[in-house]
Amino acid sequence: MNTYMLKNGETLIIRRGTVEDAVRLSHYISRVAGQSDFLTFEPGEVTGINNTSNEKPHKASGLVLLAVVNGRLVGNLNFMRGARSKIWHAGEFGITVDKLYWGQGIGRQLIACLLEWAHKQKNIRKVNLKVRSDNERAIILYKRMGFKEEGLLRREFYSNEIFYDALCMGLCID
């Protein structure tokens, strides 16, 4: 568990999610689903947080971080690593922050916690992400955190009858 002071003076706690947080996380995702067109899901699309795969991973497959302010869930980061041995060293993350807390540094702190965790793992060598190519604020943050542009996926996102490209970014862990 890590504690930070936000720009607005409130205290942010970032901790690992547990199975007991699943319902709370599901409610949070439902709450933030309509707050940004940059998210990969629409309101009502995420109805539960669980693993529906019949395949059992041979090791822990990722990390879930929760950002909490005054007992309220205000952000999360989910890192999922490759499922097979040849891609087990790399993974991709997704991140959300409640719109009421945009601009407070929560996204930066969540990513910093992910990278700190990744550096401690002996078998994670790459952290990847996809971001809509017009999400300038997020791209600036990712670059400041050391991520490099690695490619462009054309028409990867579709929202309001418009296609958007996805910028692939990555950070090698030495």
Side-chain angles (χ1 to χ4, degrees), residues 115-126:
L115 297 178
E116 179 183 331
W117 173 83
H119 280 285
K120 291 177 182 176
Q121 309 305 303
K122 299 205 185 302
N123 53 9
I124 294 178
R125 295 284 160 259
K126 181 89 183 296

Side-chain angles (χ1 to χ4, degrees), residues 51-132:
N51 178 10
T52 58
S53 169
N54 291 330
E55 184 176 323
K56 294 185 180 177
H58 61 322
K59 301 174 190 171
S61 58
L63 174 70
V64 175
L65 294 175
L66 304 179
V68 179
V69 175
N70 296 323
R72 178 182 169 99
L73 186 54
V74 298
N76 88 299
L77 182 145
N78 184 22
F79 174 79
M80 186 63 70
R81 60 193 308 170
R84 307 272 187 263
S85 61
K86 290 184 179 182
I87 57 172
W88 183 251
H89 68 283
E92 186 172 316
F93 77 88
I95 188 169
T96 63
V97 175
D98 188 316
K99 191 171 187 174
L100 294 174
Y101 286 87
W102 288 1
Q104 294 297 313
I106 293 172
R108 173 181 297 282
Q109 294 300 340
L110 283 165
I111 296 168
C113 287
L114 165 65
L115 297 178
E116 179 183 331
W117 173 83
H119 280 285
K120 291 177 182 176
Q121 309 305 303
K122 299 205 185 302
N123 53 9
I124 294 178
R125 295 284 160 259
K126 181 89 183 296
V127 176
N128 298 309
L129 64 94
K130 283 188 226 170
V131 58
R132 231 173 72 175

Side-chain angles (χ1 to χ4, degrees), residues 6-165:
L6 294 178
K7 294 176 184 178
N8 67 6
E10 292 182 287
T11 301
L12 169 70
I13 297 171
I14 296 180
R15 64 174 178 82
R16 288 185 78 155
T18 66
V19 173
E20 291 79 21
D21 292 312
V23 171
R24 184 177 187 198
L25 183 55
S26 180
H27 289 294
Y28 164 79
I29 294 296
S30 294
R31 186 174 80 238
V32 300
Q35 293 181 351
S36 172
D37 195 40
F38 292 124
L39 298 175
T40 60
F41 51 90
E42 299 279 348
E45 283 187 335
V46 180
T47 58
I49 307 296
N50 59 31
N51 178 10
T52 58
S53 169
N54 291 330
E55 184 176 323
K56 294 185 180 177
H58 61 322
K59 301 174 190 171
S61 58
L63 174 70
V64 175
L65 294 175
L66 304 179
V68 179
V69 175
N70 296 323
R72 178 182 169 99
L73 186 54
V74 298
N76 88 299
L77 182 145
N78 184 22
F79 174 79
M80 186 63 70
R81 60 193 308 170
R84 307 272 187 263
S85 61
K86 290 184 179 182
I87 57 172
W88 183 251
H89 68 283
E92 186 172 316
F93 77 88
I95 188 169
T96 63
V97 175
D98 188 316
K99 191 171 187 174
L100 294 174
Y101 286 87
W102 288 1
Q104 294 297 313
I106 293 172
R108 173 181 297 282
Q109 294 300 340
L110 283 165
I111 296 168
C113 287
L114 165 65
L115 297 178
E116 179 183 331
W117 173 83
H119 280 285
K120 291 177 182 176
Q121 309 305 303
K122 299 205 185 302
N123 53 9
I124 294 178
R125 295 284 160 259
K126 181 89 183 296
V127 176
N128 298 309
L129 64 94
K130 283 188 226 170
V131 58
R132 231 173 72 175
S133 62
D134 61 333
N135 190 345
E136 295 174 10
R137 286 182 58 186
I139 293 168
I140 289 168
L141 171 62
Y142 300 143
K143 286 181 177 180
R144 285 183 180 159
M145 307 255 351
F147 288 85
K148 306 289 185 211
E149 293 183 21
E150 296 185 337
L152 193 68
L153 298 173
R154 301 276 181 209
R155 297 170 61 125
E156 182 74 2
F157 297 102
Y158 183 73
S159 179
N160 299 317
E161 300 183 6
I162 300 172
F163 286 102
Y164 296 92
D165 298 339

